[in-house]
Amino acid sequence: MKAYIYPLALTLLLSACRNSEKREENGAFAKEKAGSTESVDFSQIKETGELIVTTLSGPDTYYDYQGVPLGREYSLISNFAVSEGLRLRIEVAHDTTEMLQMLVSGNADIVVFPLPKKMVEAEGLQATGAQDAKKHTAWAVRSESRELSEALELWWQGGKVLETLHTKQIPTGSMLVRRHVYAPFISREKGQISTYDPLFQEAARAIGWDWRLIAAQAYQESAFDPQAVSWAGARGLMQLMPATATAMGVSNVHDPRENVMGGARYLRLLGSQFSDIPNGEERLRFVLAAYNGGSGHIRDAMALAKKYGKQSTSWGDVSMFVLGLQQPRYYRDPVVKYGYMIGSQTYEYVNAIMERYRTYGGAVSATPNAMPLDGTSTTGAPPKTGRHKIYMPEDLEKMEE
């Protein structure tokens, strides 16, 4: 449960702008240039210092968890990039058709996704990189990218790299945040919640919130432990991620006042980003959800709600799609920009804070529980687009050679 801004997306955008001219000068996107037959191989990639990767969003491939890029395929390609001294630029596609088009057109150097080798060969591409002999899957590069393929094969060593690679996984339960748990109340009778009540009150005056709501959020984040540290690097009472703390002007994240005021400034920023939600109480829930899961993911859920005829400014409706963003049908929908998210954590985060706020004496109406979305099953034959079949990770287990 951490607050963060999207440093990864910003970094990728700036990287794309800075390096687009360099890649063109060195032959990138050569197939799109009239009369040019020059191809980009590993020597040109190393000259620019950037490896452009295309993949699909998903829990086993690549996704953003509170500012931390995760996923097995991401961990693998990140390991390769580090070993070669390369920056990574991740381009997320919506399906295999788009991935293959990006590779063939030169808009990506490599497909980092477990594709069936038969598909790779049928498209005139090279199967290389991380491979699964049992499932007959591999990554893919262009047929002319022989140097890159050789470098990937040398790195992979038949899977030996897996013996030393430790993919970052999300801890469960109490392992998410290392903290000392303090009592949720000092004195219920006197209305004293914690020793940090004056800080919560100061922060509340600055952003126009009820201080008890900020207290409820702080307890959910850190259990009132100013030294709390999460596995992802978030720190302090309000569990600020390093990039967020810097952006909010916090120099010492473990200083209670700095941390709480930084968290309040971030809440105010998120409030302005969701100013299109007219109902103030509803807006609170969206802001809390964005603090936990990222505003981009919440905007994705709002876009899905609108697409499916629900109210995009109602948390009761949008929260269904926050949960839905755990399903391929939804996180690979064309209206979704940020892909997969662990929606259940964000959903429970908002519920837990609002319930604790009520126990602290806050007056807030109940929000109906999100109902399961119909048709979220991903079993059966995958859909088709054009002449390419769209494969989801779960489909690959069912495929035979």
Side-chain angles (χ1 to χ4, degrees):
M1 284 70 78
K2 333 301 179 264
Y4 69 99
I5 299 175
Y6 277 91
L8 180 62
L10 179 60
T11 300
L12 297 180
L13 178 61
L14 292 175
S15 177
C17 294
R18 284 195 301 266
N19 293 294
S20 60
E21 292 185 3
K22 284 176 127 182
R23 293 306 294 271
E24 286 190 347
E25 290 172 1
N26 286 281
F29 316 124
K31 287 194 174 184
E32 297 182 358
K33 293 183 179 181
S36 173
T37 58
E38 185 182 1
S39 299
V40 175
D41 206 345
F42 200 43
S43 55
Q44 288 83 11
I45 291 170
K46 297 202 78 169
E47 283 182 20
T48 64
E50 181 181 67
L51 181 66
I52 304 176
V53 170
T54 182
T55 188
L56 298 184
S57 177
D60 298 321
T61 52
Y62 166 79
Y63 64 101
D64 182 286
Y65 177 77
Q66 301 180 349
V68 180
L70 294 177
R72 178 182 181 274
E73 306 303 316
Y74 171 80
S75 295
L76 286 168
I77 193 59
S78 180
N79 179 271
F80 172 73
V82 169
S83 71
E84 297 291 344
L86 296 170
R87 297 184 303 273
L88 272 184
R89 187 164 106 209
I90 309 294
E91 300 287 350
V92 179
H94 285 96
D95 52 48
T96 51
T97 298
E98 188 177 355
M99 282 196 305
L100 293 173
Q101 287 175 344
M102 290 177 67
L103 180 63
V104 171
S105 66
N107 289 319
D109 301 314
I110 180 173
V111 169
V112 173
F113 187 84
L115 291 171
K117 286 187 176 181
K118 282 190 173 181
M119 169 193 276
V120 175
E121 294 166 359
E123 296 297 330
L125 303 169
Q126 288 189 77
T128 188
Q131 304 182 44
D132 190 317
K134 293 182 178 179
K135 297 178 181 178
H136 307 284
T137 61
W139 295 348
V141 299
R142 290 183 295 277
S143 59
E144 60 268 25
S145 298
R146 296 183 181 87
E147 294 176 0
L148 177 56
S149 179
E150 290 172 3
L152 286 164
E153 293 290 345
L154 182 63
W155 161 79
W156 180 245
Q157 295 181 18
K160 289 184 179 180
V161 68
L162 293 173
E163 298 174 5
T164 58
L165 180 68
H166 299 286
T167 58
K168 183 176 281 187
Q169 302 294 331
I170 297 175
T172 58
S174 61
M175 293 301 292
L176 279 169
V177 183
R178 298 193 303 274
R179 63 191 180 189
H180 177 85
V181 179
Y182 294 87
F185 265 108
I186 288 180
S187 173
R188 188 184 296 267
E189 293 75 16
K190 295 180 180 179
Q192 187 176 4
I193 296 174
S194 76
T195 58
Y196 304 106
D197 288 0
L199 295 182
F200 301 143
Q201 291 161 3
E202 180 183 358
R205 287 192 296 270
I207 64 174
W209 279 33
D210 185 334
W211 72 272
R212 294 169 296 183
L213 180 57
I214 298 179
Q217 185 183 11
Y219 188 83
Q220 184 66 27
E221 290 285 357
S222 65
F224 298 145
D225 180 4
Q227 301 302 316
V229 179
S230 82
W231 70 278
R235 295 173 180 271
L237 287 169
M238 299 296 285
Q239 285 293 278
L240 298 177
M241 289 292 285
T244 307
T246 299
M248 296 299 109
V250 177
S251 58
N252 182 358
V253 291
H254 292 296
D255 177 84
R257 185 178 184 279
E258 279 200 60
N259 193 284
V260 171
M261 296 307 295
R265 286 191 287 272
Y266 187 48
L267 289 169
R268 181 169 57 193
L269 174 64
L270 291 172
S272 68
Q273 292 177 357
F274 289 91
S275 60
D276 54 326
I277 299 173
N279 184 283
E281 189 175 305
E282 286 287 287
R283 193 183 312 121
L284 289 178
R285 292 181 169 91
F286 281 84
V287 168
L288 290 172
Y291 192 103
N292 175 258
S295 57
H297 287 305
I298 304 308
R299 283 291 176 185
D300 281 345
M302 293 172 69
L304 285 167
K306 183 178 181 180
K307 176 176 179 176
Y308 285 91
K310 302 295 183 180
Q311 294 185 46
S312 62
T313 58
S314 164
W315 179 247
D317 283 355
V318 171
S319 61
M320 293 191 298
F321 294 95
V322 169
L323 292 171
L325 283 169
Q326 298 179 142
Q327 298 287 341
R329 172 183 175 181
Y330 295 102
Y331 64 72
R332 293 196 181 125
D333 190 287
V335 304
V336 171
K337 297 180 180 179
Y338 291 91
Y340 172 85
M341 76 174 295
I342 307 178
S344 57
Q345 279 195 11
T346 297
Y347 176 77
E348 293 299 334
Y349 177 85
V350 174
N351 284 352
I353 291 174
M354 299 309 289
E355 182 58 34
R356 187 168 300 281
Y357 177 43
R358 291 189 190 94
T359 66
Y360 286 165
V364 60
S365 61
T367 299
N369 290 329
M371 300 298 291
L373 291 165
D374 294 329
T376 57
S377 173
T378 58
T379 58
K384 294 183 178 181
T385 300
R387 64 188 182 89
H388 295 288
K389 197 174 186 179
I390 302 174
Y391 291 92
M392 305 303 184
E394 57 270 25
D395 298 320
L396 301 178
E397 297 180 1
K398 305 173 186 177
M399 298 183 63
E400 298 180 357
E401 184 178 5

